[in-house]
Amino acid sequence: MIALIMDECGRDEPGKDMILRRMLEVLLVEALRWRAVARDGARAGLLNGLRDPALARVLRAMHADVRAHWTVAGLAKIAGLSRSAFAARFGEVLGCGPIEYLARWRMALARTALVSGDKTLDRIADEIGYESASAFSTAFRKRQGCSPGRFVRSLAA
């Protein structure tokens, strides 16, 4: 699959972008199917979480509505587990707690939005679940070690 993707990247033909998107989707599915990762006790992470049906439901819900005010209790209900069982399983399988995972995901989305440069801080904050640009900037600074503006300037340099 990787060889096919590399071959397609080297071409300049109509439909290249569409074909590459589909090939990357297939590559992702194959990675998720790869049983050797699960058998060999792979590190905790998203792929392992997606293999677990209860956690996959939670991850899909979190990704579908990143703005929601998620709680461990609400996520546990989606998983069909008790709060303590859910928190323990999530931490074991994904390597961090569910609220920490959500914060990391929000920051990843924020970094992507900042890099694209076409959204205001207010809009980014709203899209990822912060009450204001100020609250978002504070959270970003705490997690990234710099302000959103400095982050963007460091990429330009």
Side-chain angles (χ1 to χ4, degrees):
M1 193 74 234
I2 292 171
L4 289 171
I5 291 171
M6 290 174 59
D7 184 48
E8 190 63 33
C9 284
R11 295 178 176 194
D12 191 23
E13 296 183 25
K16 173 182 175 178
D17 290 340
M18 184 176 73
I19 289 172
L20 281 173
R21 276 195 298 272
R22 297 303 180 263
M23 287 177 153
L24 290 171
E25 289 172 2
V26 171
L27 183 62
L28 175 61
V29 170
E30 286 299 319
L32 293 173
R33 286 180 170 176
W34 193 38
R35 301 284 185 225
V37 171
R39 275 196 316 268
D40 295 342
R43 291 183 355 192
L46 181 59
L47 290 179
N48 284 339
L50 292 172
R51 283 191 183 96
D52 182 308
L55 297 182
R57 283 192 303 276
V58 169
L59 292 166
R60 280 192 302 272
M62 291 169 81
H63 285 244
D65 189 4
V66 71
R67 297 179 68 218
H69 297 289
W70 294 110
T71 63
V72 173
L75 294 168
K77 186 174 183 179
I78 292 169
L81 299 167
S82 72
R83 200 171 58 179
S84 59
F86 165 69
R89 189 155 150 190
F90 195 99
E92 179 183 321
V93 174
L94 276 96
C96 66
I99 303 306
E100 174 64 20
Y101 176 85
L102 178 62
R104 290 177 185 179
W105 177 238
R106 285 176 170 165
M107 286 300 121
L109 294 173
R111 286 190 305 273
T112 300
L114 288 167
V115 168
S116 74
D118 60 347
K119 296 179 182 174
T120 65
L121 285 185
D122 284 319
R123 185 166 174 205
I124 294 170
D126 181 60
E127 287 180 359
I128 62 172
Y130 287 91
E131 296 295 322
S132 67
S134 175
F136 162 64
S137 291
T138 299
F140 190 91
R141 188 175 296 109
K142 180 180 175 186
R143 293 195 161 271
Q144 299 301 133
C146 65
S147 69
R150 187 170 170 205
F151 174 79
V152 172
R153 285 189 300 275
S154 73
L155 293 176

